[in-house]
Amino acid sequence: MSDTLPSFDDTTDVEDADRGFVAPLDPGVVTAADGRVVWDNDVYGFLNADCPDTAHPSLWRQSGLCARQGLYEVTDGVYQVRGLDLSNMTLVEGDRGVVVIDPLISAETAAAALALYRAHRGDRPVTGLIYTHSHGDHFGGARGVLPHGTEQGVPVLAPAGFLEHAVSENVYAGGAMGRRAGYMYGVMLPPSPDGQIGVGLGQGTSTGTFTLVPPTVEVTRTGQEETVDGVRILFQLTPGTEAPAEMNFLFPDRRALCLAENATHTLHNVLTLRGALVRDSRIWARYLDEAVEYFYGRYDVAFASHHWPTWGHDDVVRFLHEQRDVYAYLHDQTLRMLNEGLTGVEIAERIRLAPALEKAWHARGYYGSVSHNSKAVYQRYLGWFDGNPAHLWEHPPVELARRYVEVAGGPAQALAKARSYVAAGDLRFAATLLNHVVFADPEDTEARDTLADVYTRLGHGAENATWRNFYLTGAKELREGPRSEIVDLANPEMIMNLTVPMLIDSLAIRIDGPRAWDEDLTIDLLVTDPADERHRHRLTLHHGALTHRVTTAPRTPAGLVLTLTKRQLLDVLAGGGLEGVETEGDAGLLDRLLSYVTTPDPNFPVVTP
């Protein structure tokens, strides 16, 4: 990472983060119905002090800005509630009520944000809901602003493909992503100067009720215009940027531009440390460039789903140009170097942004980083293999670690050598060597404690908040063992919005293949609702693989045919039995199928074998 920093004398971000302040939520704490605290922004009061030696001064500055909390006026008729969750909730006043953009992660925090707005702007009804993109921190609190029974007649707008991506991301690799998200967001770390001080994009993630109100209006093209409660909105579709389904949009009568999460006050992730599909930084840059031209001259302020707005047309243009150039540069320079034969790790060591970009606060790597983003670009094009045959068939971590320790002369020698690297200030290689010692013998408490100390020092020196949280959570897990708090994303509304093929996929990825090697069975599902999914789905378990397809006239009969509703299917897949389900054939086949389904442990180890 570069040591070049912008000027701390530049107070523009401080002024913009405070501009339009109306009132805070006091206290800045949100609780669930059972009294459980799901969000506490007041715990970050320590950020008002000078930066300690346990934090990078640049990250300390960013966290202090993100910790500002309350209701803010963006421009006439446009307000934001910031600091009540990882993301912002924006409210645009219409003829009869208010249009809500991105209702946070949890219903409880969204309800608190709406109540804060109403306390100062009147008890306006929610007359529209907009999801900027398909990540959970932008729709999970939907029921906090549209409780059950109030959504009738309220348009819910989202970009094309929103629903599929919103629910699928939490199904296929949801278990592993959730576990790693605990590291990324520092969920198990205490908020403190030597613990969690934020995530760069915001302070953290709320832990309330995760919900979803399905969209009723799909934005399918750039140039589409909709009017919601008298508010005109002009859309730019930006698929494949920060999210698979995302959009920017302009409020022409308010001269206000919403940039979703495509341009925020940090270098974002091309690939998040929690895991996801690699994003296309080339397309990301192109859509930012398109936004400059498409909306040019029609706004005086730009706001996003995180951080604070940017005021002034020319300042917004400069901001977008710089954000565009960051992602274009990362893409193009990584491709240039990989075509010269450099590997992802080598590129990450060489690549640096232009000095003018390094000195732009919004281009600093608080959430993404130049290092891991360049590796992500490499991964997108060339995958995990760097072309070196030595890396084609390496031993798995434990066996590799044992051999490294043997080469070093045994555990005691390896530990001593690692400490010599610590003393020399080479924490990176000390971490690598100590990691091998721990994997070779996870019960070596001396090695674990030493590695935990190294991780702590690396975390305290990191400018990137997610790197800090990974290092410090790794240290905590080495000392205390694996434990996590994962937000429950299995809300009934989320599950009901999975398509039938996605539900079957969620079953297929949990089949214990080796145990099912010799199994051969076929089950047909005749799902009677919803109308657009009324098909015969054939499930085949053969050679340990559960496959499925839609069929209208199967060539061979199934061993079991189930005729059922989608809700009954959910109960059946959850092991609820066949009561009320129409069956034809051998009902025992269902028990055989479900007997191969595994339940993963969400608290699997990360920094030990």
Side-chain angles (χ1 to χ4, degrees):
M1 291 188 186
S2 170
D3 291 327
T4 303
L5 281 173
S7 171
F8 281 86
D9 294 330
D10 179 0
T11 60
T12 303
D13 284 342
V14 177
E15 293 161 6
D16 285 349
D18 289 336
R19 181 169 172 172
F21 179 68
V22 177
L25 181 70
D26 189 18
V29 179
V30 179
T31 58
D34 60 4
R36 179 174 57 91
V37 174
V38 301
W39 178 258
D40 186 350
N41 202 73
D42 290 349
V43 297
Y44 293 102
F46 61 82
L47 289 167
N48 293 320
D50 292 338
C51 180
D53 59 6
T54 54
H56 193 291
S58 176
L59 178 58
W60 188 264
R61 171 192 179 276
Q62 177 79 354
S63 295
L65 291 168
C66 290
R68 284 159 159 78
Q69 173 267 109
L71 176 68
Y72 296 80
E73 183 180 29
V74 176
T75 191
D76 185 38
V78 180
Y79 291 81
Q80 281 192 318
V81 178
R82 304 200 287 268
L84 289 192
D85 214 321
L86 178 65
S87 47
N88 301 332
M89 189 165 91
T90 305
L91 306 105
V92 181
E93 295 173 353
D95 292 343
R96 298 179 295 105
V98 64
V99 179
V100 173
I101 303 170
D102 287 356
L104 309 182
I105 294 176
S106 302
E108 293 86 351
T109 54
L114 181 60
L116 177 61
Y117 165 81
R118 285 173 169 167
H120 297 276
R121 296 296 300 166
D123 193 15
R124 301 167 188 255
V126 173
T127 49
L129 181 59
I130 301 176
Y131 303 134
T132 60
H133 61 290
S134 53
H135 292 152
D137 52 324
H138 304 275
F139 66 81
R143 286 298 177 192
V145 299
L146 279 182
H148 287 282
T150 67
E151 68 268 48
Q152 191 66 31
V154 178
V156 180
L157 290 75
F162 166 87
L163 199 56
E164 176 188 354
H165 294 297
V167 294
S168 65
E169 181 168 312
N170 300 308
V171 174
Y172 298 136
M177 281 188 187
R179 180 73 172 97
R180 281 169 48 163
Y183 266 66
M184 180 171 169
Y185 295 113
V187 172
M188 301 307 298
L189 300 174
S192 65
D194 59 355
Q196 202 264 17
I197 63 174
V199 300
L201 201 63
Q203 289 312 99
T205 55
S206 64
T207 57
T209 307
F210 193 73
T211 64
L212 173 63
V213 178
T216 60
V217 178
E218 191 174 68
V219 177
T220 59
R221 60 181 176 85
T222 293
Q224 184 170 333
E225 188 167 336
E226 302 287 342
T227 299
V228 180
D229 190 18
V231 178
R232 289 197 304 133
I233 315 168
L234 178 64
F235 292 93
Q236 178 204 11
L237 211 59
T238 64
T241 51
E242 188 271 339
E246 192 150 357
M247 60 187 183
N248 300 326
F249 43 93
L250 175 74
F251 296 96
D253 299 327
R254 311 293 170 86
R255 295 187 60 82
L257 177 62
C258 176
L259 295 170
E261 202 167 323
N262 288 318
T264 57
H265 289 275
T266 179
L267 169 59
H268 212 292
N269 285 300
V270 176
L271 177 60
T272 66
L273 299 186
R274 65 179 169 85
L277 298 177
V278 179
R279 296 157 185 172
D280 189 341
S281 50
R282 176 183 62 94
I283 291 296
W284 198 334
R286 285 189 182 179
Y287 278 122
L288 288 174
D289 193 53
E290 180 183 87
V292 171
E293 296 304 316
Y294 186 66
F295 297 115
Y296 192 85
R298 293 188 278 182
Y299 52 80
D300 298 318
V301 61
F303 62 91
S305 302
H306 297 273
H307 302 138
W308 47 94
T310 299
W311 281 272
H313 182 272
D314 291 347
D315 285 336
V316 173
V317 171
R318 175 186 50 77
F319 169 64
L320 287 174
H321 279 163
E322 290 175 349
Q323 286 275 301
R324 173 202 64 188
D325 292 347
V326 166
Y327 298 108
Y329 186 92
L330 279 168
H331 176 272
D332 296 347
Q333 294 308 304
T334 300
L335 265 292
R336 177 181 66 83
M337 285 188 269
L338 74 82
N339 280 317
E340 292 175 353
L342 274 69
T343 66
V345 173
E346 291 168 334
I347 293 168
E349 288 297 297
R350 287 198 187 188
I351 191 169
R352 57 167 292 193
L353 298 178
L357 291 176
E358 288 185 329
K359 292 178 181 178
W361 285 112
H362 66 83
R364 302 298 297 181
Y366 302 116
Y367 191 56
S369 75
V370 171
S371 175
H372 75 255
N373 278 343
S374 64
K375 292 175 184 175
V377 175
Y378 183 96
Q379 177 182 325
R380 181 178 178 88
Y381 286 94
L382 294 184
W384 62 269
F385 182 45
D386 64 4
N388 185 334
H391 303 146
L392 187 59
W393 192 34
E394 289 184 309
H395 285 289
V398 170
E399 293 303 317
L400 194 64
R402 288 172 178 164
R403 285 161 175 78
Y404 268 111
V405 169
E406 180 182 351
V407 168
Q413 283 293 321
L415 182 57
K417 289 175 181 177
R419 284 177 168 153
S420 71
Y421 283 104
V422 173
D426 189 350
L427 298 179
R428 292 171 66 183
F429 187 69
T432 299
L433 186 52
L434 285 164
N435 182 65
H436 284 311
V437 179
V438 169
F439 267 71
D441 181 8
E443 303 305 316
D444 187 335
T445 56
E446 191 175 6
R448 290 172 69 119
D449 289 343
T450 306
L451 180 55
D453 290 341
V454 169
Y455 282 162
T456 299
R457 289 178 59 182
L458 285 167
H460 287 169
E463 182 181 15
N464 183 284
T466 58
W467 286 35
R468 175 187 175 96
N469 291 336
F470 255 84
Y471 282 130
L472 297 185
T473 303
K476 184 178 180 68
E477 190 164 311
L478 283 167
R479 294 183 177 114
E480 302 174 9
R483 187 168 64 90
S484 64
E485 292 180 2
I486 299 174
V487 175
D488 182 12
L489 302 179
N491 181 277
E493 286 184 312
M494 282 287 291
I495 300 300
M496 279 300 293
N497 278 293
L498 292 171
T499 63
V500 172
M502 290 166 70
L503 284 169
I504 301 170
D505 282 342
S506 71
L507 190 70
I509 60 176
R510 294 167 56 201
I511 295 292
D512 186 338
R515 284 205 301 115
W517 280 343
D518 298 323
E519 185 61 86
D520 187 3
L521 60 85
T522 303
I523 298 175
D524 281 0
L525 303 176
L526 293 176
V527 182
T528 59
D529 70 308
D532 59 348
E533 293 186 39
R534 193 172 296 168
H535 301 294
R536 178 188 290 263
H537 300 266
R538 169 151 292 190
L539 281 63
T540 301
L541 182 59
H542 189 58
H543 294 151
L546 179 63
T547 58
H548 60 93
R549 67 180 184 275
V550 173
T551 179
T552 53
R555 291 183 294 101
T556 56
L560 173 64
V561 179
L562 303 178
T563 302
L564 70 179
T565 65
K566 189 174 180 181
R567 187 167 293 279
Q568 286 175 317
L569 175 60
L570 287 171
D571 292 338
V572 167
L573 296 182
L578 292 171
E579 184 177 353
V581 176
E582 182 181 332
T583 66
E584 177 185 340
D586 182 4
L589 293 183
L590 177 65
D591 291 334
R592 279 164 53 186
L593 172 63
L594 295 180
S595 72
Y596 299 113
V597 177
T598 61
T599 302
D601 180 2
N603 290 316
F604 57 80
V606 174
V607 290
T608 54

